[in-house]
Amino acid sequence: MADPEREQSPLVPPGSSSEPGLNSGAPSPDTELQAGGQEEVEEALEEGGADGALMNPKPPLLHLRRDVAGRGHRRIGGQNLRANNHIMSPPAAPSPSSSSSSSSSSFSGRRPLLLSSEERREMATQQRALKEERRAALDPRHRYLISRLEDAGTLGGAEVEDALISDDKFSLVEDFFAANGSKKLMFFYQDDLSSVEVTNSATDQRKLFLTTGCSERLLGKCLFFLRTTDKAITTANVQQEVNFGMLACGDSSLLSSVETLLTYIMLPALRSQQTWGSVQDGTSCPDVQSFLSSVDQFICNLSSARVNIERQFQLQQVDLPEAIHQLSCPADYTAAANNSELVEHLEGVVSMWTNQIKQVLTESKQIRKEADDVGPSAELEHWKRRMVTFNSLMEEVKRPEVKRTLGVLQVTKSRTLRTWRELDGDITVVANEAKDNVKFLYTLDKFFGPLGKCTPTRLLEHIPRLMSSIRMIHTISQYYNTSERMTSLLLKVTNQMITTCRSFLSQGVARIWDLSRPVLLQRISDCCKLNAEYQRSFQTVRDKLRENPESRQFDFSENYIFGKFDAFCRRLEKIADMASSLESLAALQHMKVEGIEKIYVRYQSIVSTTTSKTYDVLDHRKLEFDSDYADFQLQVHSLFQSLQSLLDFWCHQPLTKGQASDTVGLITETNAFTATAAWRILHWSSPPLLVSGGL
């Protein structure tokens, strides 16, 4: 794991200088500050006008002339002009006012040249005139931007306005307002790094400035305005057409800020959108639903990436002796190995690292605690996290200080290295395992989307290809082909199908009882067909593999894999029976026979009791449904007996012509549902219930 020989790359000590005049307080007579030519000043004016020359000066170039001792000259950039005034000795000393203003000078390596006081006053006058011109041009559109920036907690309104009109990228604002202009306008509010380099100030100043986002790094807040229209932004439409947002990256990562923005602002706003342009169906359109699902999946991937980055493994930081950092050749390692006190200290450090790695390996072998309804995407995320953990662990043990520490202990033939070598082998195995499993599970990633958002009918076409990909993983993969892992994967696929079916059954309604009977029965039928096709496709692959006994077989527990789906479909069949019974008995409200009112009131009570259950009837794990279903059967059977008794009574009574007509109508209307209800009651009863009387 470690090479006892020191890496050949030389150590580069921190930048320092032993030349007199650089670090001492005494001025050097051979130091000369040279200013740039007039063309550099003109170039600065052309690039940024008076603002650019005054607010963005180029770093001064400091030259040391060769002295009589033959020392070469050194170029130092980015120095603070005021901090280095004590080492400057130009031929003609400038006035105090000119020497204190570094922003009005431009430096190069030719002839000393400083702007005269008159020129500097002229440039300052031009700058003030430009600012006042911009200030006078501000209108309600600019005021809207300023108010939003002020609300974001950056600066006060006056300070925001001054920063805006002083910015050399002020033209970006006008481009944002123009017809067919830029769709975004960005501000950064953060430490002014360029100012820190020039002034070498001990206290960083936060600054608000316009940016394109291409040249500056985001280290603080990003405040942005977005427009979705190609029309010009006017004072009348600025509040309707321009949206404001913010990303804060000062105390947290950029990924976390983007995730928060999308999760709590963008996605809820999209889901509440009522109109989608030319799309007629709005949010019910399949394309819109697909888009929203894609955004949701992107947020999940973003969250996963953030968590994986945060969970990277790191060896505990320790303060190693300075001698370890100075190792550069085998002789240095030998000398360090002869220092018993140093060796003892390094053995303690390696033992601490060893225990840390052991803990990670032990945790990776523990049984995972997962919800019993997780889908296959959770399996991929699990192995991605393991891959990140062990890849980062391997990077940690390759750090130079770790290699040097192990190199010294290898020279001394320390016993602690035996355990370290064993762990090194274990790390390699689990890292390769995680990488290989992620590679194969990614072949299923293209099915995770359809599994989660397709209807059961559309999902049928993906089942054969999904099963072929699972077969490929079982046949080719080096680590994932165990019966335990393949069974777990197939079970997660089953879980996802059940979740998709539950969402499909409840689509568009708060409760499944709110669906019309034909729609509910059709949806239940589609879900049961999906279960049948899923099992049929599995059995097809299993039977094909049995034709070649030498290949790996699909010897998995079908009851364990499909048992949940079968239980779910049995629950759906009971729900379908309840829906059909209630729909058939609904005809009672149209009967006009004396005595039917009491029976209809009992029917309404059954409907109210059935539909008022607070638990999710689609959750096949809710066992209270079975007792409620048994009560429902008894109530419907009792209602049927009462209805049968009423019919028998009227059939044996002498009737007038009108009563006879109503009774015939009653028999005709009830004939259809009585036979169906009786069959269902007899079919689902255990033991079967006996129906007295005749139809």
Side-chain angles (χ1 to χ4, degrees):
M1 181 187 300
D3 188 355
E5 296 187 0
R6 182 75 171 92
E7 294 84 13
Q8 298 302 318
S9 58
L11 295 176
V12 181
S16 62
S17 175
S18 60
E19 294 187 9
L22 288 179
N23 299 322
S24 63
S28 171
D30 298 314
T31 306
E32 179 180 7
L33 180 66
Q34 298 184 355
Q38 182 66 29
E39 59 270 24
E40 294 190 2
V41 177
E42 295 174 353
E43 181 181 354
L45 291 175
E46 290 175 356
E47 292 180 356
D51 294 341
L54 288 174
M55 304 193 62
N56 297 298
K58 295 184 178 180
L61 305 180
L62 187 64
H63 290 263
L64 298 180
R65 295 189 302 179
R66 184 180 300 274
D67 58 10
V68 294
R71 291 193 299 268
H73 57 76
R74 184 186 299 269
R75 178 186 185 275
I76 302 178
Q79 299 292 330
N80 182 4
L81 182 59
R82 297 185 181 183
N84 290 290
N85 276 341
H86 65 282
I87 66 171
M88 300 178 184
S89 180
S95 63
S97 61
S98 62
S99 63
S100 62
S101 177
S102 61
S103 63
S104 62
S105 302
S106 178
F107 301 93
S108 74
R110 289 189 295 275
R111 297 177 58 85
L113 178 62
L114 296 175
L115 293 177
S116 66
S117 300
E118 182 179 353
E119 291 173 327
R120 286 187 285 107
R121 283 195 298 269
E122 177 64 23
M123 293 175 63
T125 301
Q126 293 177 3
Q127 181 188 17
R128 286 193 298 268
L130 180 60
K131 289 176 59 176
E132 294 306 319
E133 180 182 350
R134 290 175 176 175
R135 193 189 307 274
L138 297 180
D139 56 34
R141 299 174 302 171
H142 302 85
R143 300 297 176 189
Y144 175 76
L145 303 184
I146 293 172
S147 65
R148 297 284 75 78
L149 294 173
E150 181 183 4
D151 293 341
T154 55
L155 300 170
E159 295 171 305
V160 172
E161 178 181 322
D162 192 66
L164 179 63
I165 62 177
S166 302
D167 202 298
D168 58 352
K169 295 186 177 69
F170 184 81
S171 59
L172 294 177
V173 179
E174 301 307 320
D175 182 46
F176 180 71
F177 289 153
N180 299 314
S182 174
K183 291 295 193 297
K184 67 180 185 299
L185 182 66
M186 289 195 299
F187 292 81
F188 282 179
Y189 181 64
Q190 61 189 24
D191 295 335
D192 187 3
L193 300 181
S194 61
S195 175
V196 173
E197 290 180 1
V198 174
T199 64
N200 198 22
S201 174
T203 58
D204 297 344
Q205 297 295 325
R206 297 176 73 84
K207 179 183 177 182
L208 179 69
F209 58 93
L210 279 161
T211 178
T212 60
C214 300
S215 56
E216 298 88 359
R217 292 178 56 193
L218 176 58
L219 301 174
K221 290 183 179 179
C222 173
L223 307 116
F224 58 88
F225 296 90
L226 302 176
R227 53 179 285 189
T228 57
T229 180
D230 291 329
K231 299 183 297 183
I233 302 300
T234 64
T235 57
N237 66 6
V238 61
Q239 298 191 25
Q240 290 75 29
E241 300 294 346
V242 176
N243 299 313
F244 173 70
M246 179 177 65
L247 292 175
C249 305
D251 300 327
S252 59
S253 67
L254 179 60
L255 288 181
S256 178
S257 299
V258 174
E259 180 187 350
T260 301
L261 176 67
L262 293 176
T263 303
Y264 297 104
I265 298 178
M266 295 300 184
L267 187 57
L270 289 172
R271 285 175 173 167
S272 63
Q273 186 78 9
Q274 298 298 324
T275 58
W276 290 81
S278 59
V279 178
Q280 300 296 329
D281 298 334
T283 54
S284 61
C285 175
D287 293 334
V288 173
Q289 290 295 325
S290 177
F291 168 71
L292 294 176
S293 298
S294 300
V295 175
D296 191 44
Q297 183 61 43
F298 175 76
I299 295 175
C300 292
N301 294 339
L302 198 62
S303 176
S304 174
R306 176 185 56 80
V307 171
N308 289 339
I309 292 176
E310 293 174 353
R311 291 182 178 180
Q312 286 185 345
F313 178 86
Q314 288 185 336
L315 288 174
Q316 186 171 343
Q317 298 293 330
V318 294
D319 294 330
L320 295 174
E322 186 64 25
I324 296 298
H325 300 286
Q326 301 300 328
L327 297 175
S328 60
C329 63
D332 293 339
Y333 281 88
T334 303
N338 293 330
N339 187 337
S340 59
E341 183 178 352
L342 175 62
V343 170
E344 182 179 356
H345 177 71
L346 296 182
E347 286 180 338
V349 171
V350 172
S351 296
M352 179 183 61
W353 287 343
T354 299
N355 293 332
Q356 190 180 358
I357 295 174
K358 282 183 179 179
Q359 182 179 358
V360 175
L361 290 173
T362 301
E363 292 175 354
S364 68
K365 296 177 183 178
Q366 293 176 349
I367 299 177
R368 281 183 284 165
K369 295 181 179 180
E370 295 178 324
D372 59 357
D373 58 350
V374 296
S377 58
E379 187 74 4
L380 175 59
E381 292 301 322
H382 166 73
W383 287 106
K384 284 167 62 177
R385 287 194 296 269
R386 288 195 61 171
M387 182 179 70
V388 170
T389 298
F390 290 108
N391 283 351
S392 59
L393 194 158
M394 294 180 69
E395 292 298 323
E396 283 289 291
V397 299
K398 294 177 183 178
R399 284 163 37 193
E401 55 268 31
V402 177
K403 287 186 175 181
R404 293 167 186 164
T405 301
L406 297 175
V408 173
L409 296 182
Q410 186 172 353
V411 173
T412 62
K413 299 181 180 179
S414 174
R415 294 181 179 180
T416 57
L417 290 183
R418 179 182 302 175
T419 304
W420 183 271
R421 292 191 184 98
E422 293 175 356
L423 290 177
D424 182 51
D426 294 340
I427 293 171
T428 303
V429 171
V430 295
N432 290 338
E433 177 190 37
K435 182 179 180 180
D436 190 72
N437 290 346
V438 168
K439 178 181 68 175
F440 282 102
L441 288 174
Y442 254 123
T443 62
L444 303 179
D445 187 59
K446 59 180 175 290
F447 299 106
F448 294 164
L451 278 174
K453 64 186 179 182
C454 282
T455 64
T457 303
R458 293 179 58 191
L459 193 55
L460 292 175
E461 62 187 65
H462 299 283
I463 298 300
R465 292 188 292 114
L466 170 63
M467 200 59 63
S468 297
S469 297
I470 294 177
R471 172 192 174 185
M472 180 270 297
I473 294 176
H474 179 61
T475 304
I476 301 176
S477 65
Q478 183 178 356
Y479 299 96
Y480 203 82
N481 54 19
T482 64
S483 176
E484 177 184 357
R485 288 177 177 171
M486 295 301 300
T487 301
S488 176
L489 176 63
L490 288 166
L491 178 61
K492 289 181 173 63
V493 173
T494 300
N495 292 339
Q496 186 61 62
M497 289 185 180
I498 294 175
T499 301
T500 300
C501 288
R502 291 176 60 178
S503 300
F504 172 67
L505 290 167
S506 303
Q507 184 178 354
V509 293
R511 304 174 304 172
I512 61 170
W513 304 115
D514 297 333
L515 292 170
S516 64
R517 174 176 170 265
V519 173
L520 177 59
L521 294 180
Q522 181 60 49
R523 292 186 180 184
I524 290 176
S525 175
D526 292 343
C527 294
C528 293
K529 287 180 182 179
L530 177 62
N531 181 31
E533 175 61 23
Y534 179 35
Q535 297 193 36
R536 187 197 65 78
S537 182
F538 173 89
Q539 293 163 1
T540 299
V541 174
R542 180 200 61 192
D543 296 341
K544 190 171 184 179
L545 289 174
R546 286 177 177 175
E547 297 175 0
N548 184 11
E550 297 181 358
S551 62
R552 292 175 179 170
Q553 301 298 309
F554 257 33
D555 295 329
F556 311 134
S557 172
E558 295 186 37
N559 183 57
Y560 185 76
I561 296 172
F562 305 112
K564 284 186 178 182
F565 216 159
D566 290 337
F568 177 71
C569 289
R570 287 194 296 269
R571 172 65 60 86
L572 295 184
E573 290 174 355
K574 293 180 180 180
I575 293 175
D577 169 56
M578 296 172 70
S580 298
S581 299
L582 294 177
E583 181 71 15
S584 300
L585 291 171
L588 291 173
Q589 62 180 321
H590 303 298
M591 298 181 182
K592 303 184 181 303
V593 177
E594 183 179 351
I596 201 68
E597 296 84 1
K598 294 182 179 179
I599 297 178
Y600 182 68
V601 170
R602 290 170 58 189
Y603 162 76
Q604 288 180 316
S605 176
I606 295 175
V607 173
S608 176
T609 302
T610 301
T611 58
S612 63
K613 299 300 181 182
T614 57
Y615 62 86
D616 185 4
V617 297
L618 295 177
D619 188 351
H620 61 281
R621 297 166 296 184
K622 300 290 185 180
L623 301 180
E624 54 262 47
F625 174 84
D626 294 326
S627 60
D628 290 339
Y629 179 67
D631 292 340
F632 174 83
Q633 287 182 300
L634 291 175
Q635 293 176 21
V636 171
H637 174 61
S638 176
L639 185 68
F640 176 78
Q641 286 183 323
S642 299
L643 182 61
Q644 193 67 50
S645 299
L646 180 63
L647 292 175
D648 291 342
F649 171 78
W650 281 108
C651 286
H652 293 85
Q653 295 294 322
L655 304 175
T656 63
K657 184 176 181 181
Q659 290 175 331
S661 177
D662 292 339
T663 303
V664 172
L666 171 63
I667 296 175
T668 303
E669 290 181 358
T670 58
N671 226 7
F673 73 82
T674 50
T676 302
W679 180 87
R680 291 186 179 277
I681 292 172
L682 291 172
H683 177 72
W684 289 107
S685 298
S686 179
L689 299 173
L690 298 179
V691 181
S692 61
L695 294 179

